[in-house]
Amino acid sequence: MVTWVVPTTHAAPLRDSIPLEGVWNYQLVGASPSIPGEGTINLPSTLDEQHKSEYNPQSDNTTQLRREFSFAGTATYSREINIPQSWQGKSIQLFLERTKPSSLKINGNYVGYNNRISSPQKYDVSDFIKPGLNTIEISVNNDDSIPPIIRRSSNAVSESTQTNWNGILGNIFLEAANPFNIKNVRFQENLADNSIKIISYFSEPAPKNLNLSIVFNGDNYSFPIEKGEKTLEATIPIGKAALWSDGNPILHDFHFSIDDFFGIVYDKRSFTTGLRQLSSGNQNFYLNDEPVFLRGTVNTAIFPLTGYSPVDLDSWMKYFNILKEYGFNHVRFHSWTPPDAAFQAADKLGMIVQTELPIWGELDRDLIFHNRFLKEDLNGILESYSHHPSFALFSVGNELWGDISLMGEYMNAVKNENPRVLATYGSNVYLGMNGRIGDEDFIVASKLGDDPEKSIRGSISFADSPTGGYLNSHRPNSSHDFSNITKFVGVPVIAHEVGQYQSYPDFNEIDKYTGLLKPDNLIEFQNRAVAAGTVDRNEDFAKASGTWAAKLYKAEMEMAHRTPGLSGYQLFGIQDYPGQGTSLVGILDPFMESKDYISAEKWRQSNNGKMILAKFPKFSFYENETVKIPLLYINYDGYLNETPTISWTTDFDSGVVTGFNSSIGQNDASSITLTIPKVNKPVKMTLGLSDSLNSVSNSYDFWIYPRITPDVENVFVTDNLDEAIDLLDKGRRVILFPDSAVSAEASIPGLFVTDFWNYRMFRTICDEMGITPSPGTLGMLIDSAHPSLKSFPTENHTDWQWFPIVTNSHPLVIDRLPQEVKPIIEVIDNVERNFRLALMLECNVGKGKLMIISADLDKTTQSPEGKWFLQSVKEYMAGKDCKPDLSLSKNQVRNLVTKPSVKRFIKELKNETYNSNWE
């Protein structure tokens, strides 16, 4: 942050400013006849916020929130300002904190053009403004002044998130200073010799020999400025001054002044920064020579009330404090750069920031306008934010492809201009297929090679892998890691946009949209749920899918922490993304409020500076098994004064682990050996872990099954539909596992994890590629109190013990049944398709009773979970509690199992980012 210091030794201040907030005239070029083309507006603000733009009516569009008011084009903002006589001969600058590309006229004379959208725009108006009355005209263009690829995709201007507003936000003022003044400074620490190099940039060549004084920690250092110099490089000791880190964000003030030998002061400025040195080596990040692991999330500029990023410190302090509460120490700003207040807040709270140019897609050297725009925007980012200690990482853009040498030029410009920042070619360049490119300081990637098995995240789209990723295709455990992929890279690796586990929308959220963006997408989804007959289960669907998604995120984050050679991850994200088809992948809603799927305390068990992780080889056991469970003690919060001990408890045993290493990083902490007890029926148990010294805890659920399943008489199990109908005709009790080939037209494949990102977009991509899309479901809503599940412990949502059942399932589409029919196990469909889906449904058929379990009988029952799932259902079917409410005829059963039901037309949703036809 920057503070202006006004000396008391002068009759007039060294720096003087005139605020320009207030009433301005505006005029719109090419405005629609339906809106006034001119009038007055209060700035700072946007045309949308002041309802000076065109109203957009409600629609059934589900791709993003609706911008209630919008204008694209040129708006000219003008006003008169009185300049005092004392400003005569001063250097005068107009400061616009955040706007779109603009041009400026003073008193009708053209001053210049500025296209910086990621940093303040500054105009030197010294030669145009005069004492007395002056007219300022600022023309802001949010249309063709921005390159098309940026307008369509970058979160700086995307309609998917903060919108492409027109206006001026934040500080707007004129400032006068002496012609020779301090323009900017850069800091670069050298911890090896306990010093800091400071480069001071001056407004013009020094008019004569002057002195630059730097006051730090109470000590004054003076350096001569030779005549004609525009920069001065000075090195001063930092002594025992505390260093800045994610866990201890200490800030220091540096005071600068220019004077001559007669004591006349020309300028004074103060900068606040933190002393820190970020480096990379041995595939690790080192902050002040100590390893640091980046627990990150992605910020995509989601501001549903205003449609623009806040520019005040309080808003950003609230945002980062929420992230700290959930254990994060890092934020990646996806294809945009936030205002200065965000960096100030990150400085204060110890958040490590990765920022990016507003580019998402192709870089082409032949796109002259495009590249000129980006280069100027980069200059503004480096000039405006380099003094912030939180500004530690830089990526050229998101999911770039095209000219790698051009990416390298942008990357090297950052490394040369600000060595304090580590830089990379881009986040997930070529979607990770190229692996390491060359001289980047670190890599952000979803995979490290062109093989789908090189993925370094637990869930991926079916467009990338036919299995949907590790967690969807491998028996649940907490021991797997990606070290076989990461170990040979050579630089730190951050896993790109991990997670993306969808949950079902909670339509109660609709009432929160009281600002400029309206939830037409959620309203349309709600209307579809009404038509499908599932709206009464909205809250249950949301809670069941969200609770399961939170468990998947726990597994994802712990997998990353277990991986040697992985230096961090960036979730996408902790917050829902309301654009690009509506991707409800957060545990927080777009307002950064909890969706009540998981508490912050529980989340921190898997996302914190200190953690205890247990490496279960599996989560389901037969009685009398012996299992060894290695433990990891994760410590990135600094050296401990005492060696901790880990206490562990289960429902049948407990103990203490001692004598392990607790240094910074990932530490093996011995292991626990459990002898699984004999049980009379299946039970769920929990391993609890705690370190009382540091208040660290974690827990893992696991399931125990008896080896022998008791015989159950008079219940028939078959996968043959004809046999089942014959038995029902005789009044028998039947469990039918319909053959997947027979029910192919009436069912969809099973999906264990919740669908990746959103169904509509990746369904379109898979169709274009000619490959099978994801089943698209969001977990299960289970009637866990139903007596058929009495011997199969479960909650009302999917959990790890369901893996062998769900992965071998093919849920039936039951839309032909009355809407009041509720399956015992209902598979939650995505909001684009809205099938009513049953994995387990009971009914009467004549005098017989039928339980349909839409799964593969042989494959399901090869596991202890599957055997006891069937056993539990058999016990129910044999008992007096078996009293289905639904009655179907034999033909209805046959049609339900074999005949296609309704079809849902899913509109295409192309990812416009990957369209190279821009100019």
Side-chain angles (χ1 to χ4, degrees):
M1 78 194 103
V2 178
T3 346
W4 311 119
V5 180
V6 180
T8 56
T9 56
H10 286 253
L14 293 175
R15 289 178 179 260
D16 196 10
S17 64
I18 299 175
L20 299 179
E21 294 86 355
V23 178
W24 289 65
N25 300 308
Y26 77 91
Q27 186 171 22
L28 307 182
V29 177
S32 166
S34 63
I35 59 174
E38 59 184 25
T40 60
I41 187 172
N42 286 299
L43 294 179
S45 188
T46 66
L47 291 172
D48 298 5
E49 194 168 37
Q50 306 256 317
H51 296 186
K52 307 296 185 183
S53 44
E54 191 163 4
Y55 175 75
N56 299 309
Q58 185 173 336
S59 74
D60 62 358
N61 176 30
T62 63
T63 61
Q64 61 200 38
L65 300 173
R66 170 171 56 96
R67 188 176 167 189
E68 190 173 24
F69 298 91
S70 64
F71 172 80
T74 298
T76 298
Y77 306 95
S78 63
R79 66 169 291 179
E80 292 184 332
I81 187 71
N82 195 39
I83 301 299
Q85 188 65 40
S86 60
W87 283 28
Q88 182 74 44
K90 294 281 190 177
S91 172
I92 304 173
Q93 189 175 74
L94 172 66
F95 183 97
L96 310 174
E97 182 165 5
R98 186 136 294 202
T99 186
K100 302 298 166 61
S102 70
S103 60
L104 175 66
K105 290 183 179 179
I106 302 289
N107 300 322
N109 298 309
Y110 179 76
V111 177
Y113 174 81
N114 195 312
N115 69 1
R116 295 180 177 181
I117 64 172
S118 301
S119 62
Q121 295 182 8
K122 301 174 185 178
Y123 286 94
D124 186 346
V125 298
S126 307
D127 295 335
F128 296 89
I129 211 157
K130 62 185 188 302
L133 205 59
N134 294 261
T135 300
I136 300 174
E137 295 180 31
I138 306 168
S139 294
V140 176
N141 184 308
N142 65 330
D143 192 17
D144 55 7
S145 65
I146 305 172
I149 187 174
I150 293 173
R151 245 179 14 252
R152 294 188 196 187
S153 60
S154 164
N155 285 313
V157 293
S158 171
E159 296 296 342
S160 286
T161 54
Q162 69 173 307
T163 78
N164 186 19
W165 48 267
N166 191 309
I168 305 172
L169 299 175
N171 290 315
I172 312 170
F173 60 85
L174 286 166
E175 184 187 54
N178 287 323
F180 184 70
N181 58 69
I182 302 165
K183 185 178 178 181
N184 204 356
V185 300
R186 298 269 174 85
F187 299 94
Q188 185 180 349
E189 297 84 349
N190 186 336
L191 299 186
D193 62 9
N194 208 33
S195 68
I196 185 167
K197 180 168 70 176
I198 303 171
I199 304 174
S200 301
Y201 298 85
F202 305 125
S203 58
E204 61 182 30
K208 57 180 179 178
N209 293 336
L210 299 170
N211 292 315
L212 175 69
S213 294
I214 304 174
V215 178
F216 167 65
N217 245 9
D219 295 320
N220 192 323
Y221 304 91
S222 184
F223 303 91
I225 307 172
E226 302 296 334
K227 183 177 180 180
E229 283 190 351
K230 283 199 69 174
T231 62
L232 188 147
E233 187 175 304
T235 299
I236 65 173
I238 58 176
K240 296 183 179 180
L243 302 180
W244 184 95
S245 69
D246 59 324
N248 194 33
I250 303 298
L251 299 174
H252 300 279
D253 294 325
F254 287 78
H255 304 286
F256 298 80
S257 63
I258 299 173
D259 57 24
D260 62 17
F261 295 105
F262 300 101
I264 298 175
V265 180
Y266 286 74
D267 194 26
K268 283 190 176 184
R269 287 190 74 175
S270 291
F271 290 81
T272 298
T273 192
L275 306 176
R276 62 104 178 126
Q277 186 168 299
L278 184 66
S279 59
S280 63
N282 300 320
Q283 290 195 214
N284 290 315
F285 288 112
Y286 293 91
L287 183 57
N288 307 328
D289 295 332
E290 293 183 1
V292 61
F293 189 92
L294 300 186
R295 308 180 301 276
T297 188
V298 173
N299 181 292
T300 51
I302 299 165
F303 308 106
L305 295 180
T306 62
Y308 61 76
S309 165
V311 292
D312 64 291
L313 181 60
D314 287 347
S315 294
W316 284 105
M317 289 291 288
K318 179 180 178 181
Y319 170 78
F320 284 120
N321 268 315
I322 292 171
L323 295 187
K324 295 288 280 190
E325 182 185 6
Y326 282 84
F328 292 99
N329 65 352
H330 166 53
V331 178
R332 171 190 161 218
F333 286 89
H334 177 308
S335 65
W336 79 295
T337 295
D340 191 73
F343 290 98
Q344 291 185 40
D347 292 348
K348 290 175 177 289
L349 295 175
M351 297 298 291
I352 296 169
V353 167
Q354 175 186 323
T355 194
E356 297 177 347
L357 286 173
I359 174 66
W360 176 359
E362 184 179 19
L363 274 180
D364 184 342
R365 196 176 293 276
D366 292 335
L367 299 181
I368 305 301
F369 170 47
H370 177 203
N371 290 307
R372 187 185 302 124
F373 187 98
L374 290 177
K375 287 177 181 177
E376 181 56 29
D377 212 49
L378 178 58
N379 290 337
I381 291 170
L382 292 172
E383 288 176 13
S384 301
Y385 311 122
S386 287
H387 64 282
H388 289 286
S390 57
F391 179 18
L393 302 173
F394 182 85
S395 162
V396 176
N398 179 68
E399 292 182 356
L400 302 179
W401 76 95
D403 193 328
I404 289 179
S405 66
L406 182 57
M407 298 176 206
E409 289 176 16
Y410 287 111
M411 179 187 73
N412 289 323
V414 174
K415 294 169 71 170
N416 292 334
E417 287 294 317
N418 189 0
R420 205 183 197 200
V421 172
L422 300 183
T424 189
Y425 284 89
S427 297
N428 212 28
V429 174
Y430 278 93
L431 303 181
M433 290 186 290
N434 288 16
R436 183 178 179 183
I437 296 173
D439 56 345
E440 63 267 71
D441 293 321
F442 64 99
I443 293 174
V444 182
S446 61
K447 57 185 177 182
L448 296 171
D450 58 4
D451 182 346
E453 299 305 315
K454 297 280 188 167
S455 173
I456 51 173
R457 54 190 187 190
S459 176
I460 54 180
S461 78
F462 275 63
D464 294 308
S465 168
T467 68
Y470 183 85
L471 291 179
N472 191 59
S473 57
H474 290 75
R475 189 167 179 81
N477 64 80
S478 61
S479 59
H480 179 74
D481 64 45
F482 301 111
S483 57
N484 62 318
I485 302 169
T486 59
K487 61 184 176 182
F488 300 118
V489 178
V491 294
V493 177
I494 302 174
H496 174 263
E497 297 182 3
V498 301
Q500 304 193 40
Y501 300 106
Q502 276 190 77
S503 58
Y504 197 85
D506 182 350
F507 299 132
N508 292 312
E509 185 185 300
I510 291 171
D511 293 336
K512 290 186 176 184
Y513 289 85
T514 59
L516 291 179
L517 299 183
K518 301 302 180 184
D520 290 8
N521 48 0
L522 297 182
I523 293 170
E524 174 60 17
F525 291 147
Q526 185 179 45
N527 292 338
R528 294 179 188 179
V530 170
T534 57
V535 74
D536 62 322
R537 299 190 292 291
N538 168 230
E539 292 183 25
D540 293 334
F541 278 4
K543 190 65 180 284
S545 61
T547 302
W548 176 224
K551 288 177 176 287
L552 293 165
Y553 273 115
K554 171 184 171 68
E556 183 87 58
M557 293 185 294
E558 292 191 2
M559 204 181 312
H561 277 285
R562 290 194 300 267
T563 301
L566 193 63
S567 297
Y569 51 79
Q570 296 165 346
L571 300 186
F572 203 141
I574 194 175
Q575 185 183 18
D576 282 343
Y577 187 88
Q580 205 183 62
T582 307
S583 301
L584 306 180
V585 296
I587 60 163
L588 305 182
D589 66 19
F591 303 87
M592 290 295 288
E593 294 177 349
S594 173
K595 293 158 72 174
D596 295 326
Y597 302 155
I598 187 171
S599 67
E601 180 183 16
K602 185 79 172 176
W603 181 270
R604 288 197 306 272
Q605 291 182 353
S606 309
N607 187 59
N608 212 351
K610 288 193 184 76
M611 293 180 293
I612 309 169
L613 307 182
K615 299 172 70 171
F616 274 81
K618 58 183 180 178
F619 292 126
S620 291
F621 302 92
Y622 277 126
E623 59 187 359
N624 297 327
E625 283 192 65
T626 298
V627 58
K628 183 178 181 181
I629 304 171
L631 301 181
L632 289 178
Y633 192 86
I634 307 294
N635 175 29
Y636 288 100
D637 276 357
Y639 292 100
L640 305 179
N641 294 326
E642 300 178 51
T643 301
T645 60
I646 297 174
S647 299
W648 60 269
T649 60
T650 67
D651 302 66
F652 55 88
D653 203 356
S654 63
V656 176
V657 174
T658 62
F660 58 89
N661 190 1
S662 59
S663 61
I664 297 177
Q666 181 190 106
N667 301 281
D668 290 324
S670 189
S671 61
I672 300 168
T673 299
L674 297 179
T675 299
I676 304 299
K678 182 177 177 58
V679 291
N680 295 321
K681 62 180 182 177
V683 293
K684 183 181 93 169
M685 294 189 177
T686 301
L687 171 67
L689 302 167
S690 64
D691 164 19
S692 57
L693 178 64
N694 294 290
S695 301
V696 177
S697 65
N698 205 346
S699 63
Y700 297 84
D701 294 330
F702 60 100
W703 291 261
I704 303 174
Y705 301 92
R707 290 185 179 273
I708 305 299
T709 53
D711 291 334
V712 177
E713 296 182 349
N714 300 320
V715 176
F716 297 86
V717 181
T718 181
D719 60 3
N720 186 297
L721 176 60
D722 292 333
E723 182 184 15
I725 290 177
D726 287 343
L727 289 165
L728 290 165
D729 204 29
K730 298 173 183 177
R732 307 295 191 183
R733 299 190 177 197
V734 180
I735 302 173
L736 171 64
F737 286 75
D739 183 88
S740 59
V742 172
S743 62
E745 295 296 318
S747 64
I748 66 170
L751 180 70
F752 183 57
V753 300
T754 68
D755 191 39
F756 184 86
W757 191 238
N758 71 63
Y759 180 72
R760 183 177 166 191
M761 190 180 92
F762 278 102
R763 169 67 184 266
T764 301
I765 293 171
C766 288
D767 286 349
E768 291 177 341
M769 296 172 66
I771 61 178
T772 303
S774 163
T777 53
L778 309 177
M780 300 183 296
L781 177 62
I782 304 164
D783 183 357
S784 56
H786 194 278
S788 63
L789 298 172
K790 186 176 181 179
S791 293
F792 190 79
T794 183
E795 307 295 329
N796 72 341
H797 53 79
T798 313
D799 212 330
W800 303 114
Q801 87 276 25
W802 284 99
F803 177 82
I805 301 160
V806 173
T807 55
N808 293 301
S809 71
H810 41 277
L812 288 176
V813 180
I814 62 167
D815 288 356
R816 57 169 33 93
L817 297 181
Q819 290 187 351
E820 61 268 20
V821 173
K822 307 294 190 295
I824 299 170
I825 301 177
E826 183 166 11
V827 176
I828 304 167
D829 201 14
N830 65 80
V831 288
E832 288 288 354
R833 189 174 56 196
N834 288 290
F835 282 155
R836 290 166 54 221
L837 298 167
L839 191 146
M840 182 168 158
L841 176 73
E842 66 175 342
C843 61
N844 301 300
V845 183
K847 294 182 179 180
K849 298 184 187 297
L850 174 66
M851 182 72 76
I852 302 174
I853 299 175
S854 197
D856 185 290
L857 173 59
D858 290 336
K859 292 180 181 178
T860 297
T861 55
Q862 288 176 7
S863 65
E865 303 97 316
K867 287 180 181 178
W868 274 95
F869 173 55
L870 175 58
Q871 177 70 19
S872 184
V873 177
K874 287 167 68 176
E875 291 173 355
Y876 163 73
M877 294 290 289
K880 296 179 180 180
D881 290 334
C882 183
K883 299 175 181 179
D885 294 325
L886 175 67
S887 294
L888 298 176
S889 68
K890 291 182 291 183
N891 280 339
Q892 285 177 314
V893 170
R894 188 176 294 278
N895 289 339
L896 181 65
V897 172
T898 65
K899 301 295 184 183
S901 186
V902 299
K903 288 190 175 181
R904 301 276 195 266
F905 174 71
I906 309 296
K907 293 181 181 179
E908 284 189 339
L909 178 61
K910 294 181 182 294
N911 188 341
E912 289 189 339
T913 304
Y914 304 104
N915 182 348
S916 59
N917 185 24
W918 302 113
E919 292 186 351

